[in-house]
Structures are given as structure tokens and as C-alpha cells.
Amino acid sequence: MRGGGRVHGKVPRDYSFNLPIKVLRYGLRSTLSAKLIEKSVIVVDKLYPDERQMDSAAQMNSVPIKTKDALSFLKKHNWQDDSVMFVDDTENEYLMAAVNNLAGDKRVVNQENLNVYDLLKVNRLVISKSAVEALKGRLQSETGNYLSRREGKFQTEITSDQIALWEENAKAMREKAQTN
């Protein structure tokens, strides 16, 4: 180097760090539980179109889930002005295309990409039963069903009671929407 250099010059450093995996899982569990307590979770049977819709859409060369279908679902639950996240167990490009055209903060995520930041950013959560099962398996296999050394018993984090409560809340919200 012409002119020399500094002997102990400034070195760019990366001060970022990764959270422990257990902390990330705990955050996801607690955020999902908080959404459940707030009654801002709806569990639906599926977020994917049935075969009849797929066949008719293939014949017409169009997308089987339309934006108006997504909007009517949100209006039925009076969530059209809220920020909503749709969670499915796989990538759902049809739902993504329909939801991207809606106004406001609406997003579609598969259960593998679900994180605490996105959950805290949205007000409402629509999740399919298959995504609930996948999340349950993901959170239990990575954390729970482990043998506690102190207590000598198995511990699970998401129970079937919680899933039943989610489904009851979804049923109550559907009945409330039908009465309105």
C-alpha cells in the first residue's frame, strides 16, 4: 500500500448473534398461545381449493381461488380491515395470488416459515388443520416429548386440548359470523 496503513486499524465486525433454538421455539409457542387467548385465530379445514374448483379453473385457464373469495371470507368474519396471516402446511400459490391483491396487510405463509416477528405484526391468524398438525409435530419433535431428568416424565408443549380449544373458538366465530 502506498503511504502505509494503520497498524491496528478499524476492523468491521459483525455483532449479530443467533438466538438459541429453544428460545425461538418457546417464542413461537407463546405467541401462538397469546393469539389463541385473544381469540384472533381461526382454524379452517383447508386453504386449498377442492378438485372440482381445480378442474373448472383448469378448463377456464384461471386461478381457482379468486380475490373475491378471500375478501368474502374476511368480510364474513369482519376482518377485511385487519392485518391477517394465512398459514398453510405447504406453499399455496393460489391463495398467495388471491391475497396479494387485497388491500392492507394480508400475507400467506407456510408453517415452516412461520416466525414470531410476523405473528406479532398481524392482528388475526387463519390456519389450516394440516398446518396445525404440522406445527404441533414440528414444535413437539424439536423440543418436547423429551424426558425430563428431574421429573422423569415426558413433557409436551402443544396439547390436543389447545388444538380443541382453537377449533372451538373457530366454530364460535363462524356461528357469530352467521348470526350477523
Side-chain angles (χ1 to χ4, degrees), residues 79-172:
W79 287 2
Q80 65 270 17
D81 297 329
D82 289 339
S83 58
V84 180
M85 179 185 291
F86 295 88
V87 181
D88 205 1
D89 62 334
T90 58
E91 289 289 331
N92 192 341
E93 66 264 3
Y94 301 116
L95 183 62
M96 195 173 296
V99 170
N100 283 341
N101 293 329
L102 294 173
D105 188 16
K106 316 284 190 279
R107 52 183 87 179
V108 178
V109 177
N110 66 350
Q111 61 88 17
E112 294 172 355
N113 296 333
L114 189 66
N115 60 38
V116 176
Y117 180 76
D118 287 339
L119 280 174
L120 290 174
K121 209 169 177 188
V122 297
N123 295 334
R124 308 291 185 176
L125 184 68
V126 179
I127 187 167
S128 67
K129 283 186 180 181
S130 57
V132 169
E133 292 299 321
L135 269 173
K136 179 181 174 185
R138 179 177 137 196
L139 292 175
Q140 284 182 350
S141 67
E142 292 176 353
T143 62
N145 289 350
Y146 62 90
L147 189 61
S148 173
R149 290 183 187 161
R150 290 183 187 164
E151 299 171 8
K153 63 180 181 179
F154 284 98
Q155 297 182 359
T156 56
E157 303 302 334
I158 294 181
T159 63
S160 57
D161 296 335
Q162 286 178 319
I163 293 174
L165 187 60
W166 285 357
E167 291 172 352
E168 288 174 20
N169 285 344
K171 185 178 179 182

Side-chain angles (χ1 to χ4, degrees), residues 9-85:
K10 294 181 180 178
V11 178
R13 290 190 171 94
D14 182 17
Y15 293 102
S16 65
F17 64 94
N18 293 328
L19 284 173
I21 294 172
K22 286 184 178 182
V23 172
L24 292 174
R25 287 185 214 127
Y26 178 73
L28 189 58
R29 279 193 306 271
S30 61
T31 307
L32 285 170
S33 298
K35 292 285 182 192
L36 177 65
I37 290 169
E38 294 172 358
K39 296 186 179 182
S40 61
V41 177
I42 290 183
V43 178
V44 294
D45 292 332
K46 61 181 182 171
L47 290 171
Y48 210 78
D50 59 2
E51 291 181 20
R52 182 184 53 81
Q53 287 176 320
M54 292 289 283
D55 292 339
S56 65
Q59 292 172 357
M60 295 186 299
N61 197 17
S62 66
V63 178
I65 297 178
K66 301 287 187 184
T67 303
K68 67 179 180 180
D69 298 333
L71 185 61
S72 67
F73 174 81
L74 293 174
K75 282 185 177 179
K76 184 171 93 173
H77 296 290
N78 200 18
W79 287 2
Q80 65 270 17
D81 297 329
D82 289 339
S83 58
V84 180
M85 179 185 291

